[in-house]
Amino acid sequence: MSSSSSLLLSKVLCKLSFQRSMGGGPRTFPGGLNKWQWKRMHEKKAKEKERRLLDQEKQIYQARIRSQIRAKLAASAAGSEAHDREAPTTASSPSHYNPMSPKDQIKALADRFMKKGAEDLWNQDDGELESESESAPFRPMRVRGVAPPMEFTNVVSDRRNLADNRSRVLRPLGGDSLNTRRFSVQARRRSGAPRFRFRGNDTSSSDGDDDSEIGSDGDLVNSYRGGNKVLRNSKSLPRFNFNEGDASEDDESGSRGRTGVKKMMSRASLGSYDAKKMRRAPKAFEGDDSNLSQQVQFIREELNKRKSIGHEMGQEQEDSLLTHKRFDECGISPLTIKALTSAGYVHMTKVQEATLSVCLEGMDALVKAKTGTGKSAAFLLPAIEAAVKEKNSSSNQRWPPVVVLILCPTRELASQIAAEATVLLRHHDGIGVQTLIGGTRFKLDQKRLESDPCQIIVATPGRLLDHIENKSGFSVRLMGLKMLVLDEADHLLDLGFRKDVEKLVDCVPRQRQSLLFSATIPKEVRRISQLVLRKEHAFIDTVGLSGLETPSKVNYQLRCRSLAEEEKNNVNKIGKGRGSGWEWVGPVGVKQSYLVQPHELQFQLVHQLLKEHTSQVIDYKVIVFCNTAMVTSLLYLLLREMKMNVRELHSRKPQLYRTRISDEFRESKRLILITSDVSARGMNYPDVTLVIQLGIPSDREHYIHRLGRTGREGKEGEGILLLAPWEEHFLDYIKDLPIKKSQSIELNPNIKLEMDDAMMKIDNSIKEAAYHSWLGYYNSIIEIGRDKTTLVELANQFSSSIGLEKPPSLFRKTALKMGLKDIPGIRIRK
Ligand SMILES: Nc1ncnc2c1ncn2[C@@H]1O[C@H](COP(=O)(O)OP(=O)(O)OP(=O)(O)O)[C@@H](O)[C@H]1O
């Protein structure tokens, strides 16, 4: 020991003994510092940290200014000279930015940074970065690797979207252009309405079920989802434009160290998709003698021609979910290609095209794509490739390590994904997939894991944790994990599951690839996703500029008809079919509408809607979503009593039953499924013709996912939301979606009598449970649950509408927990 260090040590010991002799608690801190030194050191550290953050903010701000100037310069280069001269001034003009000085701006940003939840530093309050210029040139490029230097803000935005016809006609023929892809971690355009939130109701049980319903004793269990109070602002966020001049912008806007490779799509390879075809200026007139009317006529024709080219191409792209890119172009192993081909997958869907290369490169990704657009295959293919790679590199072990772990929120979804993986793995010997889901015998899982080793596991979080905690060998197998996938990521990161997911993430190696997929990715989830993802991850959003997560495309259905018919009816025609026997018969896609009806009439309304639909659509297949398992059960029994062809599926049913019903519904036509939110996400039931949502969904995301059970793979579908008058406020949260009020339906009084009869036949215990779960569900909704007196009145109306003489009583403890103990109309169980 050197003399200086021994001196220091003796000083520390001396100080300690002095303090001990003075009595009281420890007065020294590590390194022999006293309280004040310790405090000062921390203050200094905090100041340093603050300064660093301010520096970062400053850089970001400067990058924004530079980016703005470049964007303006680029725009003005294409536009007028006058604009060109103004560009640098406009960059900082108050119309685009806050009228603050840069210094104030940085300070404001830094102040906000210190507040809770301020990680998303570039939100709408920062003022517009730049306008969503329609005239901004579309320049396809390829971005590889995003390595942001900062903890919070990393922006690499590729704004190639399909919002306008110009961009639509540019398709990634060569394979490298990702025109539907946008990369970013923060500073992203917000799609819409504020997040509709529940105050309570943990809607997920640990086994991954997704019902919000009463506890096992029939009592109301109201576990709180507190703390999630972040409201989303509906204002759109500005985004950065990338163009040829943006090479340095990547660095400046928070991605220092990133190796950006931009590939310009060759004009030759664009073939008929050359967007410039549309943008090219009309041929110049030569000679001065051409008269003005000729010129006008020429320009008109030219414009019409361009319009029709754009329309055809845009329509072609919109119509098809598939892109031109084939699976055999992207380095997937031949055996997987063989399986894909026999499953009928030749071309990629948009989300697959946008994500596959990134995921195959080993990068972490957060992916948002519409429901029913092939997200499962988009993560299964890289997962299979990871398993193949690992199998080739590792020796034959008796129990191979688990290479890929796929987490799903529900058991049915896990089974469905495992089934899809099995199909894709059919030609790969020695690579297996297994499910670990609740509701099955734990011992059986263990036996399967031992007898049938697998590299890919699809699991619900609760059961997976059981295995980790109770089977030591299993944790060892997880040490070889290479890829973690979260399907329905926003739901898995929501409060109901988050703790489990956090624990699971702690049990797997840090050196892994993580992929998060969902049709909905709210702002909070973007932030929380950092729990799982590396900082350097890609955010891939194929939902596009419309920001509509629902399959709400509006295209034109063309129906062939005879010319004679056309002349007779003089119907509305559009470009392509003009004069050739085509007519425009209106928009198709998923038709969304809502109906308002008091709760006591809603069952009857559902019955009437079902009757109408089943009489009109030959191969009908309908899903009716209820908010709780017990209301699902009641409606099912009621409709069954009324001789409708129904099935029920919710978390109160045994797993074997659930699997059987799920399989039956998948295979069938002419069947109605009454279900709770266990079927809301990810379930791929082909050809669902109608989705009815009974009552207010728990949030905007649930509405979208439930609706997404219809209109899959680009097919048509219909969604109807039934609301009570006091539930109409929910419409504010989905006002950006194309949902329209439906014409009111006159209810048949005879059906009412029939329904009352059927209701009488249902056991009172079912109705009581339905009442309890109804009360629990609505009590958890902030807007309704706040006014307890009204809530209880409404619940009592519901109770009498389902044929209960008086409202069922509650346990005192439950009433207390729900804040309903002294509310008039609540009966307490003695
Ligand atoms: N490349 C492809 N070619 C043809 N069909 C495909 C392709 N990719 C996926 N599909 C089909 O599209 C359907 C929907 O796929 P999938 O269930 O993966 O959608 P999703 O985006 O995960 O939906 P959700 O958001 O509801 O979970 C499935 O029937 C699947 O077989």
Side-chain angles (χ1 to χ4, degrees):
M1 196 185 287
S2 70
S3 60
S4 62
S5 52
S6 60
L7 195 72
L8 188 71
L9 189 67
S10 63
K11 264 188 189 169
V12 171
L13 289 173
C14 193
K15 210 166 228 169
L16 271 175
S17 64
F18 169 72
Q19 278 161 358
R20 263 190 219 123
S21 67
M22 296 289 290
R27 300 278 168 91
T28 54
F29 292 84
L33 300 177
N34 68 28
K35 188 163 94 179
W36 303 113
Q37 285 170 325
W38 180 253
K39 200 174 159 206
R40 266 201 300 281
M41 187 185 84
H42 276 279
E43 278 170 356
K44 204 173 149 197
K45 271 190 182 166
K47 267 189 192 151
E48 264 168 23
K49 193 174 167 193
E50 199 177 322
R51 192 174 44 75
R52 264 202 318 275
L53 292 169
L54 273 170
D55 279 351
Q56 288 174 351
E57 290 296 333
K58 200 169 162 185
Q59 282 169 20
I60 293 166
Y61 180 71
Q62 285 168 347
R64 294 172 65 196
I65 298 273
R66 280 196 290 273
S67 149
Q68 180 70 25
I69 292 170
R70 260 198 308 279
K72 283 285 157 196
L73 285 174
S76 45
S80 70
E81 272 183 40
H83 195 106
D84 196 12
R85 277 195 301 277
E86 278 169 24
T89 2
T90 326
S92 54
S93 83
S95 65
H96 288 262
Y97 286 106
N98 287 337
M100 283 185 196
S101 71
K103 203 173 154 193
D104 289 344
Q105 172 86 356
I106 291 161
K107 191 172 175 305
L109 283 169
D111 286 346
R112 202 155 46 68
F113 173 79
M114 300 310 288
K115 286 180 193 157
K116 194 170 171 255
E119 292 88 329
D120 194 10
L121 278 165
W122 285 8
N123 67 20
Q124 48 276 19
D125 303 329
D126 288 346
E128 234 177 309
L129 301 182
E130 62 185 53
S131 60
E132 299 266 81
S133 166
E134 283 299 306
S135 61
F138 176 89
R139 292 178 177 90
M141 69 164 198
R142 173 74 187 271
V143 182
R144 276 177 213 273
V146 183
M150 286 164 222
E151 202 170 340
F152 299 103
T153 309
N154 162 5
V155 182
V156 183
S157 172
D158 177 2
R159 236 186 80 191
R160 286 148 300 147
N161 285 292
L162 303 171
D164 58 27
N165 278 340
R166 219 177 36 241
S167 55
R168 253 184 228 133
V169 295
L170 265 173
R171 295 172 60 89
L173 287 179
D176 270 332
S177 163
L178 304 172
N179 64 347
T180 53
R181 189 190 306 174
R182 290 188 284 146
F183 289 89
S184 112
V185 174
Q186 301 285 354
R188 180 117 327 253
R189 175 182 179 274
R190 300 287 312 121
S191 69
R195 185 157 162 73
F196 179 74
R197 267 289 163 205
F198 264 41
R199 187 187 42 202
N201 241 35
D202 179 354
T203 56
S204 315
S205 60
S206 65
D207 67 351
D209 279 343
D210 194 12
D211 280 14
S212 59
E213 49 213 6
I214 56 170
S216 53
D217 58 351
D219 231 348
L220 293 162
V221 176
N222 217 14
S223 56
Y224 278 67
R225 256 196 197 179
N228 229 342
K229 290 174 194 142
V230 188
L231 279 187
R232 290 163 56 179
N233 194 316
S234 62
K235 232 169 110 186
S236 292
L237 258 184
R239 275 165 300 165
F240 283 104
N241 259 354
F242 274 81
N243 52 39
E244 288 103 323
D246 280 335
S248 61
E249 183 185 325
D250 297 353
D251 298 335
E252 290 157 3
S253 59
S255 25
R256 251 178 310 163
R258 172 180 157 265
T259 49
V261 180
K262 297 176 186 176
K263 259 193 208 166
M264 296 304 299
M265 191 188 274
S266 114
R267 232 164 273 162
S269 76
L270 289 173
S272 60
Y273 293 92
D274 184 354
K276 292 198 174 160
K277 236 186 203 175
M278 291 161 54
R279 291 210 298 269
R280 268 176 214 138
K283 277 177 216 144
F285 287 96
E286 281 170 21
D288 295 329
D289 54 341
S290 52
N291 65 41
L292 186 68
S293 66
Q294 258 181 328
Q295 288 184 27
V296 170
Q297 181 61 22
F298 183 87
I299 290 170
R300 268 202 195 127
E301 278 170 18
E302 192 72 27
L303 284 172
N304 283 341
K305 221 170 7 181
R306 285 186 209 175
K307 227 181 194 171
S308 71
I309 292 173
H311 188 87
E312 282 168 32
M313 289 175 166
Q315 176 153 352
E316 190 197 315
Q317 176 125 4
E318 276 289 291
D319 279 351
S320 169
L321 198 72
L322 299 175
T323 64
H324 283 291
K325 191 157 180 188
R326 299 165 59 97
F327 285 104
D328 51 15
E329 289 172 41
C330 67
I332 292 174
S333 58
L335 291 178
T336 315
I337 297 287
K338 202 171 154 192
L340 279 168
T341 315
S342 34
Y345 293 17
V346 178
H347 292 276
M348 296 180 192
T349 64
K350 284 172 189 162
V351 62
Q352 291 157 1
E353 188 204 26
T355 55
L356 266 176
S357 54
V358 172
C359 298
L360 288 170
E361 275 170 20
M363 200 168 170
D364 280 12
L366 174 61
V367 180
K368 180 178 173 187
K370 286 183 189 182
T371 49
T373 56
K375 290 190 286 295
S376 315
F379 61 72
L380 279 175
L381 290 172
I384 291 170
E385 289 312 301
V388 170
K389 210 162 121 190
E390 203 54 27
K391 189 187 164 224
N392 294 341
S393 63
S394 66
S395 57
N396 277 343
Q397 293 164 2
R398 187 161 166 236
W399 289 316
V402 176
V403 180
V404 179
L405 190 54
I406 301 171
L407 295 182
C408 305
T410 61
R411 301 166 185 177
E412 282 77 14
L413 182 55
S415 306
Q416 180 184 294
I417 286 169
E420 197 168 343
T422 310
V423 169
L424 299 179
L425 281 169
R426 73 209 301 177
H427 300 296
H428 287 283
D429 285 338
I431 301 181
V433 56
Q434 287 207 16
T435 53
L436 293 180
I437 55 175
T440 55
R441 280 177 54 206
F442 188 81
K443 279 254 156 63
L444 275 182
D445 281 354
Q446 282 184 338
K447 269 194 189 148
R448 267 191 300 126
L449 284 173
E450 281 164 18
S451 63
D452 212 358
C454 61
Q455 293 85 346
I456 302 175
I457 284 186
V458 190
T460 50
R463 177 54 66 96
L464 185 67
L465 269 179
D466 277 357
H467 279 273
I468 291 173
E469 282 162 7
N470 300 314
K471 195 87 178 65
S472 57
F474 188 74
S475 312
V476 175
R477 285 186 65 189
L478 280 181
M479 286 302 109
L481 195 88
K482 294 283 178 269
M483 183 186 285
L484 175 67
V485 180
L486 266 62
D487 190 19
E488 308 299 341
D490 57 330
H491 195 35
L492 286 174
L493 292 171
D494 209 349
L495 283 185
F497 282 111
R498 196 183 306 157
K499 275 216 170 88
D500 282 353
V501 172
E502 276 176 27
K503 277 190 210 164
L504 288 170
V505 169
D506 285 344
C507 298
V508 295
R510 285 168 68 88
Q511 283 302 321
R512 57 160 204 274
Q513 182 182 12
S514 306
L515 304 176
L516 272 57
F517 279 72
S518 184
T520 49
I521 301 183
K523 190 175 184 172
E524 308 87 272
V525 173
R526 291 277 305 284
R527 210 161 6 99
I528 298 158
S529 65
Q530 316 277 347
L531 277 175
V532 187
L533 294 168
R534 282 186 283 229
K535 268 193 240 164
E536 307 79 17
H537 68 263
F539 175 65
I540 301 172
D541 178 358
T542 64
V543 171
L545 273 183
S546 73
L548 304 180
E549 300 95 331
T550 54
S552 54
K553 67 174 190 175
V554 174
N555 54 24
Y556 301 97
Q557 191 184 20
L558 291 166
R559 193 167 66 199
C560 195
R561 53 203 314 283
S562 72
L563 261 177
E565 237 184 328
E566 185 190 331
E567 274 160 22
K568 201 170 83 191
N569 296 328
N570 192 21
V571 287
N572 185 9
K573 300 176 230 37
I574 57 163
K576 188 177 180 181
R578 209 176 174 87
S580 60
W582 293 97
E583 69 168 316
W584 177 41
V585 292
V588 293
V590 176
K591 193 178 140 215
Q592 301 176 51
S593 60
Y594 69 93
L595 276 162
V596 182
Q597 198 73 251
H599 268 295
E600 56 271 22
L601 295 176
Q602 283 188 352
F603 284 174
Q604 198 188 335
L605 184 59
V606 171
H607 177 268
Q608 201 149 321
L609 287 170
L610 289 174
K611 275 278 174 208
E612 272 173 26
H613 187 80
T614 53
S615 63
Q616 284 164 9
V617 180
I618 302 165
D619 284 332
Y620 66 85
K621 193 163 172 176
V622 184
I623 303 183
V624 181
F625 282 104
C626 301
N627 286 327
T628 72
M630 294 322 294
V631 174
T632 305
S633 194
L634 178 65
L635 181 62
Y636 160 74
L637 291 171
L638 186 69
L639 294 175
R640 195 184 65 174
E641 205 60 56
M642 296 179 81
K643 309 280 176 285
M644 296 208 77
N645 194 14
V646 285
R647 300 285 182 276
E648 72 176 319
L649 180 55
H650 52 81
S651 66
R652 293 310 192 83
K653 287 284 170 194
Q655 190 51 43
L656 271 178
Y657 178 92
R658 283 167 63 167
T659 310
R660 184 166 59 75
I661 297 295
S662 179
D663 291 346
E664 184 190 359
F665 190 66
R666 184 175 291 110
E667 305 300 324
S668 320
K669 284 198 180 344
R670 305 171 70 83
L671 197 57
I672 299 164
L673 181 72
I674 315 293
T675 184
S676 65
D677 279 331
V678 286
S679 311
R681 282 177 176 259
M683 293 312 295
N684 186 37
Y685 297 121
D687 305 317
V688 171
T689 51
L690 172 67
V691 165
I692 297 178
Q693 304 193 34
L694 179 58
I696 200 167
S698 58
D699 54 28
R700 175 192 153 84
E701 282 71 34
H702 271 79
Y703 173 80
I704 290 166
H705 285 276
R706 286 165 161 194
L707 182 78
R709 298 317 100 204
T710 183
R712 295 175 78 74
E713 299 172 64
K715 290 178 187 158
E716 287 178 54
E718 189 180 354
I720 304 176
L721 173 64
L722 303 186
L723 297 174
W726 45 277
E727 290 178 317
E728 277 189 83
H729 63 89
F730 177 74
L731 295 169
D732 286 346
Y733 301 103
I734 52 169
K735 64 180 173 213
D736 56 326
L737 302 178
I739 181 166
K740 292 211 170 73
K741 186 164 185 171
S742 188
Q743 280 179 346
S744 55
I745 291 177
E746 213 171 294
L747 295 174
N748 183 341
N750 296 332
I751 300 289
K752 171 87 181 110
L753 294 175
E754 204 186 310
M755 190 160 259
D756 288 346
D757 272 355
M759 192 64 95
M760 294 276 281
K761 293 180 188 152
I762 298 172
D763 199 278
N764 265 7
S765 64
I766 306 275
K767 296 179 197 168
E768 285 173 8
Y771 165 86
H772 282 140
S773 66
W774 192 100
L775 190 58
Y777 180 77
Y778 283 101
N779 188 47
S780 67
I781 296 177
I782 293 173
E783 282 84 347
I784 302 163
R786 198 182 293 129
D787 182 358
K788 306 280 183 201
T789 313
T790 313
L791 172 76
V792 172
E793 273 169 24
L794 290 166
N796 292 353
Q797 280 170 24
F798 175 76
S799 152
S800 67
S801 78
I802 57 176
L804 289 170
E805 275 176 21
K806 48 186 178 185
S809 55
L810 298 183
F811 284 114
R812 181 178 297 276
K813 211 171 149 190
T814 313
L816 206 69
K817 212 169 159 186
M818 293 172 70
L820 296 174
K821 200 180 132 258
D822 297 321
I823 304 297
I826 284 289
R827 295 177 53 242
I828 302 292
R829 204 170 283 190
K830 294 275 178 330

